[in-house]
Structure formats: structure tokens, C-alpha cells
Amino acid sequence: MAKQNLLILLLMVLATNMAAASVTTRKLMFLVQPQPNQLTYHNGAVLHGDIPVSVLWYGRFTAAQKAIVSDFLVSLSAAPRASPAPSVSQWWSSIHQLYLSKAAAAVGKNGEHGAGAAQIARVVLSGQVSDEGCSLGKSLKLSQLPALAARARPAKGGIALVLTAQDVVVEGFCRSRCGRHGPVDAKAGTAYVWASNSATQCPGQCAWPFHQPAYGPQAPPLAPPNGDVGMDGLVINVASMVAGAVTNPFGDGFYQGDRAAPLEAATACPGVYGKGAYPGYAGQLLVDTATGASYNANGAHGRKYLLPALFDPATSACSTLV
């Protein structure tokens, strides 16, 4: 009996010590919070001034599908009053305000990279090339994307936009990415952006919220503003990747985290399109009374688009148009 009582006493002491240790650990973790990894400028080049964008259509796209993208690109640098607010050009101006102007200020101190960043960047649609026959096949490696981009002949300081059709399989598409950007020729200051029509491969991942999500919280899909789930989803990914290509074209611009897998201007705000967004809910959006489609930006020729939120480094919050 004495041994049993001693054992119980020892267990009680041990439990008390473990509880005390646990409380102390919580206090230390609370008092010494690790600093969040901020999205910051790493003193590298950004794209600025007139940014010529040349498009390579890889695979078959209809004329209507091409118009959705070309109208979006034209909308980026449209005159402020060309479209009613909120507009695509407003979204683009936010990139200058939140990122490019900060790079210009930093550059002014050391006189190194691109002093022209103070000038508001302007996207210029410089050309379009089609490869309907898919000359490299319908199964592409990531390593082939820069070569495809070079076929679009991007001008100095510009972007080659490589768009693949819904029946073209690109390494990692759907499984780990919906788009990508990278350098074509760093010396010439050229970058590429790749995105794909996900309509038949993974619309629940790369065209959400216009399709039922592949996983996570389930909610009814929203109606796409241009009536094409795959292409409206593609525009979201193009916008996200262009934002990254302009602010972090060569891996030493604005980013957060690992340089090899960075979070950038738009990718730092995944799934956020309007105020009040949370996983499975895109946020409070505008609704077209005629079609019932959801959008947050007006564009050229009466177009409407859904564009991703942009991360504001000053507030560490996602900035939305609506």
C-alpha cells in the first residue's frame, strides 16, 4: 500500500512539472513571436516604362478566346476614364503604387537598377504568333517554355506571353501550378509568362471560382464574366503571373520566402478577389445584372474581368478592387 501511495505521489509530481513546463513554453512562444517573413524588395531589376508584350498561342484557340486575352492586355494601360471604376487599369496602377514606385525610390539611393522605374509602367501589345500545330508536341516540359517564349520574339524590356490550349499538357500543370514566369534573356531584360486553358484538365484548381473547387470548402461556382470558364480562369492566372514578372522578373525583385519558390505580388493572396474573402469564398464581388456573372474589374470594349488581390507590403494585407 505504501509503495502504491508513493507511486501515485511521484506521478502527481511528474504531472505538475510537465504542466508547468508546458505553460512556460507557451509564455516564451507568446512573448518571443518569430517575425513574419515579409514581402520585400531585394534590390534587383523590375520592368518599367513601356513593356511590350508579345503573345504565342500554342495550340488551338478560337477568335473569341483570343479576344478575351488581347482585350485584357489592352485594358491594363487604358486611359483612366476609358472604363468605369473599378477598372483593370486601376489594378495595374496599384502595381506601380505598391511596388514599382518603391523600387524607384530604392534605386535613387544607389543609382543601380533601372532608374526609369519611377515612370508608370505601360503594357503595349506588340504582336501575336500562333502555333496551332503544336510544333513541340502536346506534352511540354517546363524547360521548353523559355524556348517557346523566344519564338514570340519579346522586345527588350518586354514579356513573352505563352498560352497553351486546353489539350496541351505542361509539366506540373494542375498538380503544382496554374502558371509560371521566368527570364528569357536577363541581359536583354526580357521575361516570359506561361498560363493555360484549364477547361478540360483542372478547372476546379486553375479556374476557381468559376468551377466547383477540386478540394476544400465547397460552394456553387460563379458565372464567368466572358462566358468561358477556362479563359476567364486563364486571365486570372495571366494577371497573377504578369504581376510577378513585372515586380520580380529575374528572381531578385519583390518576393517573400524562398527565392526558388517565392510568394509575389499576387500569389501572396491566393483565392482573394474581394473584401471578406476566406477559403472557399472569393469575397464580395460585383455582379452583372444582365448575365449574372461575377467580376471586380471593368475593361476595354465593355469587358469585365475577375482579377486577383495584390499584397500590400506596407500593411501586410491583401488589397482588393472591391
Side-chain angles (χ1 to χ4, degrees), residues 165-258:
Q166 61 184 8
D167 60 345
V168 175
V169 177
V170 179
E171 179 186 3
F173 184 54
C174 301
R175 294 193 304 275
S176 59
R177 61 180 60 86
C178 294
R180 183 182 178 90
H181 76 83
V184 177
D185 184 343
K187 291 183 179 179
T190 55
Y192 77 86
V193 163
W194 160 71
S196 185
N197 182 346
S198 65
T200 57
Q201 295 185 51
C202 55
Q205 291 167 274
C206 295
W208 184 86
F210 302 128
H211 190 279
Q212 199 79 17
Y215 51 84
Q218 298 294 304
L222 305 178
N226 295 287
D228 189 318
V229 169
M231 294 305 292
D232 277 300
L234 179 143
V235 168
I236 292 174
N237 298 319
V238 166
S240 179
M241 291 297 100
V242 167
V246 169
T247 58
N248 188 33
F250 310 117
D252 53 5
F254 288 91
Y255 69 89
Q256 170 185 344
D258 185 354

Side-chain angles (χ1 to χ4, degrees), residues 16-86:
T16 302
N17 287 341
M18 289 176 66
S22 178
V23 170
T24 302
T25 302
R26 285 186 196 150
K27 285 182 179 178
L28 287 172
M29 290 177 67
F30 177 76
L31 293 174
V32 189
Q33 289 280 7
Q35 291 298 311
N37 193 1
Q38 295 294 322
L39 199 159
T40 56
Y41 181 44
H42 295 77
N43 299 314
V46 297
L47 301 186
H48 54 80
D50 283 354
I51 303 174
V53 174
S54 51
V55 183
L56 172 65
W57 302 94
Y58 191 81
R60 187 177 181 279
F61 291 86
T62 67
Q65 289 176 325
K66 290 182 179 180
I68 291 172
V69 176
S70 58
D71 283 348
F72 167 68
L73 295 173
V74 170
S75 301
L76 287 169
S77 298
R81 296 185 181 180
S83 303

